[in-house]
Amino acid sequence: MPPLGAVFFEKMQSFKGRDILDINDFSKDELLYVLNAAKEFDPEFVKSKRSNYTLAQGKIAALLFFEPSTRTEQSFSSAAQKIGMGIIGFNDPKATSIHKGESFSDTIRIMDSYADVLIIRHPESGSAKKAAEVAQIPVINAGDGPNQHPTQTLLDLYTMMKEAGKLDGITIAFMGDLKYGRTVHALSLALSHFKVKQIFISHSTLKMPDEFLKVLKERGVAFEECDRLPESLEADFLYQTRVQKERFKDLDEYKKVKDKFILDASFKKYLDKGVKLMHPLPRVNEIDPVLDHHPNAIYFKQARNGLYIREALLTLVLGRI
Ligand code: CP
């Protein structure tokens, strides 16, 4: 990883005022740049007891959560406060004038005039982009339905970089709901910038969609598909996902596949061999909590890394580093 410094300062301008809507808007250099910036907020890299409280003091983050969240909302709130920002917003649109019929655009226009950054989660694809078309200030997409969740992808990349010490040369296996999982689609494409082998493990009805596999082929990415967890999995990371009940039109189809790719205590042998287990969370039953204390079960560390990525992104879009 290149050190921060002159290059860092030079590139700072490109993030100031920028919307963070789609991970595909990031070049490889920009991805690495944000990952490097996150190290500046991570106590594992910054040993001093320095406070970042004055970095964005006087600035306001508006958290507009039209859909439930634990990690994204709370880590953005924590990240903003750690760099000195004030917080406004809502996580229950019924408690706002949307309940009286106010439009999405008017809501965004109003919040735009009260804040310096808008952070939006919404169930509809394209909603963050729509907000960015109305807002004058930077908009950060905190998840727009099945479409994108770019800060999740950045924290996933950061976790892999931290754990493996590199991205080039690693192998990642994705498992579970590869059809509807936005985290899988976005992470797979982001990793296609690096020399990373990708293994897709799923039921035939939840396969990685062809449109994504086509892009991987065009980019020369080595990948393979399997319909079960291989006995000897040659991978640095297994990225497990939840089968998302809310995305199925036919509940019988959901019931057929929901328990097909559960990791129980027997997965310990893979962890013992060095496979690191990731999951964007929340989980339902797809990882047995008995695995949680294994040092290679890293999903809680992964969620914590979201704090450093979000501190870095807020500071970057405000032009404060
Ligand atoms: N991973 C993730 O986005 O979690 P939340 O839905 O709790 O924010």
Side-chain angles (χ1 to χ4, degrees):
M1 302 295 295
L4 299 178
V7 177
F8 188 67
F9 183 77
E10 190 185 306
K11 289 191 173 179
M12 177 180 83
Q13 298 305 322
S14 70
F15 278 95
K16 185 177 177 181
R18 179 168 164 175
D19 299 314
I20 308 294
L21 301 178
D22 186 325
I23 200 68
N24 298 311
D25 295 338
F26 285 68
S27 66
K28 178 178 179 175
D29 282 350
E30 287 171 334
L31 291 173
L32 289 172
Y33 184 64
V34 176
L35 303 186
N36 263 320
K39 289 162 86 175
E40 294 287 298
F41 298 91
D42 184 339
E44 280 189 40
F45 294 102
V46 180
K47 298 294 178 201
S48 75
K49 290 199 164 40
R50 177 190 88 190
S51 165
N52 293 317
Y53 188 68
T54 54
L55 267 181
Q57 206 166 13
K59 298 287 183 184
I60 301 287
L63 277 73
L64 313 182
F65 277 66
F66 294 81
E67 201 182 46
S69 165
T70 298
R71 276 147 293 277
T72 313
E73 183 184 5
Q74 300 306 324
S75 64
F76 260 120
S77 176
S78 175
Q81 292 175 70
K82 275 175 175 278
I83 61 169
M85 299 183 79
I87 299 289
I88 60 172
F90 54 81
N91 56 19
D92 178 7
K94 285 200 200 79
T96 73
S97 288
I98 294 164
H99 191 55
K100 300 179 217 160
E102 186 162 45
S103 69
F104 178 76
S105 294
D106 283 0
T107 304
I108 299 301
R109 211 178 295 272
I110 293 302
M111 297 308 288
D112 181 59
S113 56
Y114 298 158
D116 299 284
V117 182
L118 297 181
I119 299 156
I120 301 183
R121 172 170 287 194
H122 195 282
E124 279 172 32
S125 291
S127 49
K129 187 166 179 283
K130 196 171 152 194
E133 284 160 10
V134 175
Q136 304 296 310
I137 61 177
V139 172
I140 301 181
N141 184 359
D144 60 334
N147 185 36
Q148 276 279 328
H149 190 359
T151 64
Q152 177 70 44
T153 310
L154 286 163
L155 78 87
D156 291 341
L157 291 172
Y158 184 68
T159 300
M160 286 186 273
M161 185 196 76
K162 230 172 115 172
E163 295 287 329
K166 61 181 182 180
L167 288 173
D168 282 321
I170 64 170
T171 297
I172 181 170
F174 294 98
M175 192 163 96
D177 179 359
L178 311 187
K179 180 176 178 182
Y180 297 109
R182 66 183 173 193
T183 54
V184 171
H185 303 160
L187 182 56
S188 169
L189 291 186
L191 284 170
S192 72
H193 289 294
F194 302 87
K195 289 186 183 63
V196 174
K197 182 178 174 189
Q198 304 188 22
I199 303 170
F200 301 110
I201 307 165
S202 72
H203 187 267
S204 60
T205 58
L206 292 176
K207 274 170 69 231
M208 188 73 169
D210 284 341
E211 68 198 88
F212 292 102
L213 297 181
K214 186 167 170 272
V215 176
L216 297 186
K217 275 185 200 149
E218 283 164 5
R219 295 183 181 176
V221 174
F223 71 85
E224 57 191 65
E225 295 182 274
C226 319
D227 60 6
R228 70 198 65 187
L229 183 64
E231 265 305 310
S232 64
L233 178 68
E234 297 294 331
D236 302 284
F237 297 97
L238 176 68
Y239 193 98
Q240 169 72 315
T241 58
R242 175 172 67 95
V243 176
Q244 300 172 80
K245 186 178 180 182
E246 64 274 25
R247 309 278 182 227
F248 282 77
K249 287 192 183 87
D250 181 348
L251 271 190
D252 286 338
E253 284 302 311
Y254 166 73
K255 284 179 194 151
K256 269 188 222 159
V257 293
K258 72 182 178 65
D259 295 328
K260 292 275 185 210
F261 290 91
I262 285 176
L263 297 177
D264 58 20
S266 68
F267 188 71
K268 182 175 175 296
K269 65 175 184 280
Y270 293 82
L271 296 174
D272 288 342
K273 279 191 197 151
V275 177
K276 296 195 175 191
L277 180 58
M278 297 175 69
H279 190 305
L281 303 177
R283 67 176 157 187
V284 181
N285 64 345
E286 62 276 9
I287 297 178
D288 190 321
V290 77
L291 299 170
D292 289 356
H293 297 293
H294 197 288
N296 285 335
I298 59 169
Y299 26 92
F300 291 114
K301 278 168 130 177
Q302 182 185 350
R304 184 171 182 81
N305 288 333
L307 185 60
Y308 315 131
I309 282 290
R310 289 168 179 136
E311 281 180 87
L313 279 174
L314 286 170
T315 314
L316 283 165
V317 299
L318 288 170
R320 293 297 178 101
I321 49 173

